[in-house]
Amino acid sequence: MNDQASEASEVNHANIVFLTHSGADSGAEQSVVTYLSSWPRIEPRPLLLLGASGAIEPRAEAAGLDFRTLPLDPSAGATNRQERRISRLAASLIGLLRHSTKVRRVLRERSADVVVPISLKSLVFGWLAGRRAGTTVVWSLHDRVDRRYFSWFLVPALRYLVPRLVDGILVNSRSTLATIRPGRTPVIVATPAIALDPRDFHETGDEVRRVVMLARLSPWKGQDVFLRAFARAFEGSPAEAFIVGGALFGETEYEQSLKTLVAELGIADRVHFVGHVQDPWAALVDADVLVHASTIPEPFGQVVVQGLWARCAVVASTPGGPAEVITDGVDGLLTPCGDVDALAAALRRLRTDHDLRLSLARHGHVTGGLYDAAVAAPVLDAWLANLHMGAVEQGSVRGVFPQRS
Ligand code: GLC
């Protein structure tokens, strides 16, 4: 079944529009920007259609992408976990309907072949717009479909119904795929790729100096778990912790609680709250250890791949996407989600065992390098084009990267 290379070299190419409701510099959007920055240089170039202005714009700009911001009415789709009231839901649906008309216009103008909504809200207006414009609709799913990410009434709809309403599904990991029932709808596992950063990454010295955690500040990302484990494992050591990331969706209370925690643990002088950064590589360049501490299964966890490529010894939580990337003890360490003791033990091993640190970092760099966007983007491009032409087998599942044995 290894037809990836030949498929990618065929001339099939489609006119694609990626769609989101947001403008935030968060995981799903970053992953699409990375793919598009390595897209084959064939006309027509794909378009990224944003639903709001935000920090993803400078990233798209810097990558030289063709992107456009079509502002979404702020009431549209204003359904978060706290707002489940039916009246609000109705108002937001009307907003989404209106937006779908604008999106349909863009699809028609560009004679788009394929539209790829990458968020839940954009799935609603993108699906409508796509159906009305006669465009192939591919659902790009970046979150696990379970009660911890979505409201109860959405879970069955996303798991069983939506897969049957779209023409193709793009998921970011096998772990995410396991949460839906695609039926006969073709699937591609498009793992977030990285644009390999050419920087000269520091190789760990005799002692652990910098331990980095890079994630938005949110309870499920587990910064508190990390800080507790760090305090235990690095007691009496000069190691410093860098908490990189901001509170993206108004979750500022958690940030406050972390600062209180750091004071309670007596490590305030060794913990730095760096805030959101545009360039994650700068945060990783001098790091010895990268910790990924999500307390529930992470759909993919792009930062894990970045940490591996940046020659960090990576500790990540399992189950979830990171466990598909890391082989425990070879190119990183895995610890159970939310388990402070296990994380502290892993960090203690890294603190005392220089050879282990070095070996994980060296193997990790090789593993990270496998996720090169320049390899993955043409495969995804060809798959989307073939899907549009009806040349992808019903019920098939493939990956943008060759399967690891
Ligand atoms: C979402 C997921 C994250 C993943 C990213 C890219 O943000 O939460 O795990 O890395 O999408 O697919």
Side-chain angles (χ1 to χ4, degrees):
M1 271 274 298
N2 196 356
D3 54 349
Q4 286 191 353
S6 60
E7 190 176 297
S9 64
E10 280 164 21
V11 280
N12 298 338
H13 183 67
N15 190 351
I16 304 161
V17 175
F18 284 87
L19 200 62
T20 171
H21 70 284
S22 142
D25 189 24
S26 61
E29 284 73 19
Q30 287 177 10
S31 152
V32 170
V33 167
T34 304
Y35 263 101
L36 293 184
S37 63
S38 298
W39 214 254
R41 304 241 144 227
I42 311 171
E43 293 298 327
R45 307 278 297 143
L47 173 72
L48 173 61
L49 197 55
L50 306 172
S53 283
I56 197 70
E57 288 174 319
R59 201 182 280 287
E61 180 90 62
L65 304 189
D66 187 0
F67 72 98
R68 218 163 116 181
T69 308
L70 202 61
L72 185 63
D73 176 344
S75 75
T79 55
N80 56 38
R81 284 181 188 78
Q82 284 78 47
E83 293 178 285
R84 288 176 196 156
R85 293 240 313 275
I86 301 296
S87 58
R88 291 216 191 100
L89 197 67
S92 69
L93 279 176
I94 293 169
L96 294 176
L97 278 174
R98 286 211 191 96
H99 199 68
S100 83
T101 304
K102 296 188 199 161
V103 171
R104 183 192 53 175
R105 218 169 286 143
V106 175
L107 297 180
R108 286 246 170 93
E109 256 167 49
R110 294 187 59 104
S111 323
D113 300 317
V114 184
V115 63
V116 188
I118 68 164
S119 67
L120 188 55
K121 289 172 200 169
S122 63
L123 174 65
V124 177
F125 59 74
W127 181 82
L128 281 168
R131 282 293 169 256
R132 287 155 77 198
T135 310
T136 298
V137 179
V138 174
W139 178 29
S140 168
L141 175 63
H142 291 264
D143 290 305
R144 292 164 55 88
V145 177
D146 66 37
R147 293 275 312 263
R148 290 175 289 197
Y149 290 93
F150 295 104
S151 333
W152 62 270
F153 63 91
L154 283 173
V155 170
L158 293 173
R159 182 169 297 162
Y160 301 101
L161 181 63
V162 173
R164 280 151 188 84
L165 297 178
V166 295
D167 305 303
I169 303 171
L170 190 155
V171 287
N172 59 352
S173 68
R174 304 234 161 227
S175 159
T176 300
L177 178 58
T179 67
I180 59 167
R181 301 289 170 272
R184 305 288 299 153
T185 306
V187 173
I188 187 163
V189 184
T191 306
I194 54 172
L196 299 186
D197 191 284
R199 233 163 287 204
D200 207 359
F201 292 103
H202 142 113
E203 195 152 74
T204 190
D206 296 341
E207 207 171 20
V208 172
R209 293 271 170 190
R210 296 168 83 97
V211 184
V212 174
M213 188 169 161
L214 181 56
R216 82 177 141 96
L217 301 182
S218 179
W220 74 272
K221 290 290 186 182
Q223 279 88 357
D224 58 321
V225 172
F226 164 59
L227 289 169
R228 287 178 203 279
F230 174 83
R232 280 196 226 160
F234 290 99
E235 206 185 336
S237 127
E240 294 177 71
F242 294 79
I243 302 284
V244 187
L248 272 194
F249 306 107
E251 295 169 310
T252 45
E253 255 169 56
Y254 183 59
E255 179 167 8
Q256 221 25 70
S257 77
L258 291 175
K259 292 189 174 151
T260 311
L261 177 64
V262 157
E264 277 167 19
L265 293 169
I267 51 174
D269 53 331
R270 291 193 291 127
V271 177
H272 309 275
F273 287 91
V274 179
H276 181 76
V277 295
Q278 188 64 28
D279 177 14
W281 300 110
L284 295 173
V285 74
D286 293 323
D288 299 292
V289 177
L290 173 81
V291 175
H292 172 276
S294 296
T295 60
I296 58 176
E298 181 78 41
F300 181 76
Q302 295 173 82
V303 66
V304 165
V305 175
Q306 292 171 332
L308 293 172
W309 177 248
R311 298 182 188 279
C312 301
V314 177
V315 190
S317 53
T318 181
E324 292 174 41
V325 175
I326 287 175
T327 308
D328 188 32
V330 175
D331 45 17
L333 298 178
L334 295 172
T335 60
C337 287
D339 188 336
V340 177
D341 294 337
L343 181 56
L347 291 175
R348 229 175 267 124
R349 273 178 81 190
L350 292 179
R351 174 179 175 181
T352 51
D353 192 341
H354 175 249
D355 290 344
L356 174 67
R357 230 158 51 228
L358 207 56
S359 157
L360 294 179
R362 287 186 181 159
H363 287 103
H365 185 68
V366 176
T367 301
L370 300 176
Y371 291 83
D372 187 354
V375 174
V379 179
L380 180 57
D381 181 42
W383 186 85
L384 291 169
N386 286 336
L387 181 76
H388 176 66
M389 296 187 322
V392 175
E393 213 181 299
Q394 293 295 299
S396 62
V397 176
R398 64 168 310 166
V400 289
F401 295 111
Q403 271 281 217
R404 281 192 317 168
S405 47

